[in-house]
């Protein structure tokens, strides 16, 4: 059962006013809800500015009295956490609600900003929602940097695909295996086109690929510098002790998750990542389905890739040179725990594949195990 917010414990419930805010890029729809009277007050649509919200709250407080306590809330979306942080700085309690936790009625026939604001205000009172964890501004900035790297990776992939498609249409086929290897790049450098226009097109595609490669390299070098900053260094130094997790992956995990202690167990952390199984059981029948795939798609992909990397490690347990460099000088308990994870995941994958499970199922299960070990590392549960 969700605990009452601190301010609800310290103040008389009758003095609390619940403020629902339906936020958009250009406008906010706001209304107040008093639980004792079960009535909505002062519904208003204002310009999307924090100062307008604060002015609204101050004017309502003059009417309700100085003892009035506001509890504000809005649905997480594209507008981010700026409004939340600004209200907290001004001393107003605020919460950002996870959209997936809000239960909308199937019988609702009318939906508009006013109705949504009312619904959010009443949901704040019933506490029938899950709050989004709002990371610090430093963590959010690093998270945005990691997101920019992902965007550039996507642009690079698209530019490479466009180049290869163009060459295929012109009958230029690479006969050997492995694209974007040194051999493949040497082959590209030797390509000739009789038509000047086609040659110009090819050069433009190559410029796009080379530019994105350079941009990606610059971003990755900057992220390696960020990994040494105090705000993330301690956590990153622990995560890189795991096989399959290097600096860039570790920084992404740390900046996206934020506080690992908000998860009460390893299961809840893996559930947050969408790596737990769905279930469709009824009566005496039990049926397990695929993973839920909720939460961050990027984090889930990174853990799956890490699990695949662990699968390819040396069968005799010999560590790679890169892993030894990452573990050098680290706490022996942390290194031992990371090594335990490596052996456990290799055994897990081999066991599932021997039972006839597909490689994808085995890797997903291994990624879930890895998530549990990461939670243990980050919360100091490494016994």
């Amino acid at each position: 059962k969700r605990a009452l917010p601190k301010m609800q414990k310290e103040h008389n419930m009758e003095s609390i006013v619940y403020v629902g805010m339906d936020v958009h890029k250009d406008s906010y729809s706001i209304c107040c809800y008093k639980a004792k009277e079960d009535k909505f007050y002062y519904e208003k649509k204002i310009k999307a500015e924090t100062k307008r919200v604060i002015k609204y709250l101050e004017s309502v407080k003059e009417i309700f009295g100085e003892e009035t306590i506001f509890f504000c809330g809005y649905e997480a979306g594209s507008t981010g956490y700026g409004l939340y942080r600004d209200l907290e700085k001004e001393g107003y309690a605020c919460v950002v609600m996870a959209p997936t936790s809000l239960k909308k009625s199937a019988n609702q026939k009318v939906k508009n900003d006013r109705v949504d604001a009312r619904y959010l205000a009443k949901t704040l009172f019933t506490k029938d929602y899950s709050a989004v964890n709002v990371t610090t501004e430093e963590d959010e900035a690093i998270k945005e940097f990691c997101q920019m790297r992902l965007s550039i990776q996507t642009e690079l992939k698209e530019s490479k695909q466009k180049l290869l498609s163009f060459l295929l249409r012109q009958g230029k086929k690479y006969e050997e295996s492995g694209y974007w290897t040194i051999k493949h790049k040497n082959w590209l450098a030797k390509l000739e086109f009789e038509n000047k226009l086609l040659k110009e097109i090819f050069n433009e595609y190559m410029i796009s690929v080379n530019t994105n490669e350079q941009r990606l390299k610059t971003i990755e070098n900057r992220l390696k510098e960020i990994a040494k900053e105090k705000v993330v260094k301690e956590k990153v130094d622990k995560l890189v002790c795991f096989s399959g997790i290097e600096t860039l992956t570790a920084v992404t995990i740390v900046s996206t998750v934020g506080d690992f202690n908000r998860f009460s167990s390893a299961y809840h952390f893996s559930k947050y990542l969408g790596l737990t199984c769905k279930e469709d059981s009824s009566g005496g029948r039990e049926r397990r389905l695929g993973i839920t795939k909720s939460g961050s798609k990027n984090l889930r992909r990174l853990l799956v890739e890490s699990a695949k990397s662990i699968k390819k490690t040396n069968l005799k347990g010999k560590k790679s040179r890169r892993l030894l460099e990452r573990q050098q000088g680290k706490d022996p308990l942390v290194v031992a725990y990371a090594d335990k994870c490596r052996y456990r995941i290799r055994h897990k994958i081999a066991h599932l594949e021997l039972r006839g499970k597909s490689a994808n199922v085995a890797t997903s299960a291994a990624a879930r195990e890895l998530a549990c070990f990461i939670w243990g590392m980050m919360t100091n549960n490494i016994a």
Side-chain angles (χ1 to χ4, degrees), residues 98-352:
T100 53
S101 68
L102 300 175
K103 300 173 177 62
K104 302 293 179 69
S105 173
N107 297 323
Q108 183 179 345
K109 303 300 181 183
V110 177
K111 184 189 183 303
N112 53 45
D113 294 348
R114 176 173 169 271
V115 170
D116 288 344
R118 283 189 167 199
Y119 170 73
L120 293 174
K122 200 160 188 178
T123 302
L124 286 171
F125 166 67
T126 61
K127 296 178 284 296
D128 194 17
Y129 65 89
S130 294
V132 171
N133 176 63
V134 180
T135 57
T136 64
E137 293 187 50
E138 292 83 0
D139 282 342
E140 187 175 356
I142 298 173
K143 179 182 176 182
E144 290 289 347
F145 212 93
C146 294
Q147 188 64 37
M148 179 173 64
R149 171 178 173 253
L150 182 62
S151 299
I152 295 174
Q153 282 181 321
T154 303
E155 290 179 26
L156 176 59
K157 181 180 178 181
E158 290 176 352
S159 61
K160 286 180 176 180
Q161 288 175 336
K162 290 175 181 177
L163 173 59
L164 294 177
S165 298
F166 166 74
L167 294 177
L168 184 61
R169 291 194 300 270
Q170 304 307 317
K172 306 286 186 180
K173 297 181 181 179
Y174 183 62
E175 301 297 338
E176 299 185 40
S177 61
Y179 289 119
W180 306 111
T181 59
I182 294 177
K183 284 186 177 180
H184 181 239
K185 289 182 177 180
N186 290 336
W187 175 79
L188 288 173
K190 295 176 182 177
L191 285 179
E192 295 290 341
F193 293 87
E194 294 181 3
N195 188 293
K196 292 183 179 180
L197 189 57
L198 291 177
K199 185 177 181 179
E200 186 177 341
I201 294 170
F202 172 72
N203 289 337
E204 288 297 329
Y205 278 130
M206 284 300 300
I207 290 172
S208 178
V209 171
N210 293 332
T211 301
N212 285 325
E213 283 183 337
Q214 186 58 47
R215 289 174 63 204
L216 182 61
K217 186 177 180 180
T218 302
I219 293 298
E220 290 180 343
N221 289 337
R222 181 69 182 102
L223 275 174
K224 290 176 182 178
E225 293 175 4
I226 292 172
K228 298 176 183 178
E229 294 181 3
K230 185 178 179 180
V231 67
V232 294
K233 186 179 187 305
E234 183 180 354
K235 293 179 179 179
V236 169
D237 285 348
K238 288 182 177 180
L239 281 180
V240 295
C241 291
F242 285 110
S243 177
I245 298 181
E246 296 198 17
T247 303
L248 298 178
T249 301
V251 173
T252 304
I253 293 172
V254 169
S255 62
T256 304
V257 177
D259 182 15
F260 287 84
N261 289 300
R262 61 193 173 100
F263 303 102
S264 59
S265 67
Y267 170 78
H268 287 101
F269 179 57
S270 57
K271 184 177 180 181
Y272 160 78
L273 295 174
L275 290 168
T276 54
C277 295
K278 293 182 285 187
E279 184 177 357
D280 183 18
S281 301
S282 180
R285 176 180 64 87
E286 284 193 12
R287 186 185 177 196
R288 304 287 180 178
L289 306 175
I291 59 175
T292 61
K293 295 185 180 180
S294 59
S296 171
K297 180 180 178 181
N298 187 34
L299 277 188
R300 190 165 55 254
R301 177 184 60 81
L302 289 176
L303 291 187
V304 169
E305 289 178 355
S306 297
K308 288 180 180 178
S309 177
I310 293 173
K311 178 183 176 181
K312 297 176 182 178
T313 54
N314 193 290
L315 289 172
K316 297 179 181 179
K318 184 179 179 180
K319 297 180 184 178
S320 67
R321 178 180 56 82
R322 290 187 301 177
L323 179 58
L324 287 171
E325 288 177 356
R326 298 201 304 269
Q327 291 182 346
Q328 187 175 5
K330 304 297 190 301
D331 186 345
L333 290 176
V334 170
V335 174
Y337 181 78
D339 291 343
K340 178 182 176 182
C341 170
R342 181 163 58 97
Y343 290 123
R344 166 75 180 177
I345 288 178
R346 280 193 57 84
H347 174 76
K348 182 84 173 181
I349 294 175
H351 175 69
L352 290 174

